[in-house]
Amino acid sequence: MTEELLQERRDGILFLTFNRPQARNAMTFAMYEGLANACTAANTDDGVRAIVLTGAGEKAFAAGTDIGQFTNFRTAEDALAYEAKIDRILTAIEDCRKPMIAAIAGACTGGGAAIAGVCDIRIGQANARFGFPIAKTLGNTLSMVNHARMAALVGPARVTDLIFTARLMEAEEMRSAGLLSEILPDNAALLARAEELARTIAGHAPLTLQATKQALRRLSAAARAVNGDDLVEMCFTSEDFAEGVQSFLARRPAQWKGR
């Protein structure tokens, strides 16, 4: 682990913490890789019975990918390589044999929302917010497989609403949509409940839990087979995406052109 992705073990529970609170825990590529490696390593580690994933501080679980990592994007290959990387990370979380709990405080957006979405259980602090405000910020798109993941989780109509309006769901709406199973009043209560829940789950039959995870993933496998590379290329190689990155870093409104 690095200072930006902390790891702690307590009595069979692995706690992974995104640790860039000054940047709302925005994900660097190193953090993504560290998360995938931790999930893969846990598969064969009998000392890990459950995993809790959270963000440092109370302002964000993870506010997507660090925008600075997009400044050198120029080609379709850049875009497709990025989406392939993100899908590999998310697949490593989905394929992890150990139950994964996302404890969400504050903003859970973009890549952070995708990570939370593939965890098995999500609980949230009262200030939790969830969404993909990319139509307002960068002008990029979710990959086809991530559209499928989100549609399976909250339904196509809600995915459309979130992306078209660029709004963020508040905690109560997240619970009503099935994204959160519980809402806790503050950060201390959130982390305490995450640990309590992890210990409860860790005491149950591991093969039952593994079978449930894989069964649910197989049910959505067909939707993920649809190719959408052309959509990724269209958005990530556009003038609008370049403008979105620059305007985001400059903290000014983007001037969209539709090309």
Side-chain angles (χ1 to χ4, degrees):
M1 294 294 107
T2 68
E3 291 184 359
E4 294 183 343
L5 181 63
L6 304 178
Q7 174 178 275
E8 180 186 1
R9 291 187 187 219
R10 293 201 300 270
D11 301 325
I13 310 302
L14 175 62
F15 297 85
L16 298 174
T17 303
F18 304 132
N19 188 39
R20 297 185 72 213
Q22 75 284 359
R24 296 164 65 84
N25 298 320
M27 299 290 290
T28 65
F29 290 150
M31 291 167 69
Y32 278 126
E33 293 294 347
L35 175 59
N37 291 340
C39 291
T40 300
N43 284 333
T44 54
D45 188 339
D46 293 337
V48 175
R49 297 296 301 273
I51 300 171
V52 173
L53 191 58
T54 192
E58 300 187 41
K59 292 184 178 180
F61 173 78
T65 301
D66 189 300
I67 305 304
Q69 311 217 32
F70 290 129
T71 55
N72 293 323
F73 270 44
R74 296 291 184 272
T75 68
E77 288 73 20
D78 292 332
L80 295 176
Y82 168 73
E83 289 297 348
K85 179 193 293 287
I86 297 303
D87 184 55
R88 176 170 54 80
I89 304 302
L90 297 177
T91 298
I93 299 171
E94 289 178 315
D95 285 348
C96 185
R97 297 171 188 161
K98 309 303 168 74
M100 294 196 66
I101 299 168
I104 302 168
C108 180
T109 56
I115 290 170
V118 293
C119 289
D120 302 305
I121 293 177
R122 289 160 297 279
I123 62 175
Q125 192 171 323
N127 70 343
R129 293 170 295 146
F130 180 97
F132 298 88
I134 51 179
K136 181 179 180 181
T137 55
L138 296 182
N140 61 329
T141 183
L142 303 186
S143 67
M144 183 62 74
V145 69
N146 280 331
H147 277 108
R149 284 181 173 113
M150 286 300 112
L153 187 62
V154 299
R158 191 171 264 113
V159 173
T160 302
D161 171 44
L162 288 175
I163 293 178
F164 278 31
T165 65
R167 71 181 183 87
L168 301 182
M169 297 169 62
E170 303 286 344
E172 286 294 345
E173 185 182 1
M174 291 170 68
R175 178 161 59 182
S176 68
L179 279 169
L180 295 181
S181 56
E182 301 178 44
I183 299 175
L184 289 305
D186 55 42
N187 201 243
L190 175 70
L191 297 179
R193 177 55 180 153
E195 182 169 356
E196 177 186 36
L197 189 58
R199 295 194 187 288
T200 297
I201 293 170
H204 295 161
L207 295 182
T208 299
L209 306 183
Q210 290 177 35
T212 300
K213 286 169 66 97
Q214 286 303 311
L216 293 173
R217 183 158 188 248
R218 291 178 190 180
L219 284 173
S220 64
R224 303 182 187 199
V226 179
N227 188 284
D229 286 356
D230 59 320
L231 305 178
V232 171
E233 292 177 17
M234 178 181 69
C235 289
F236 277 91
T237 62
S238 67
E239 292 179 30
D240 274 356
F241 179 69
E243 162 65 9
V245 171
Q246 294 305 315
S247 64
F248 186 95
L249 295 174
R251 299 181 182 274
R252 61 171 173 80
Q255 301 298 314
W256 308 117
K257 299 178 181 178
R259 59 177 185 268

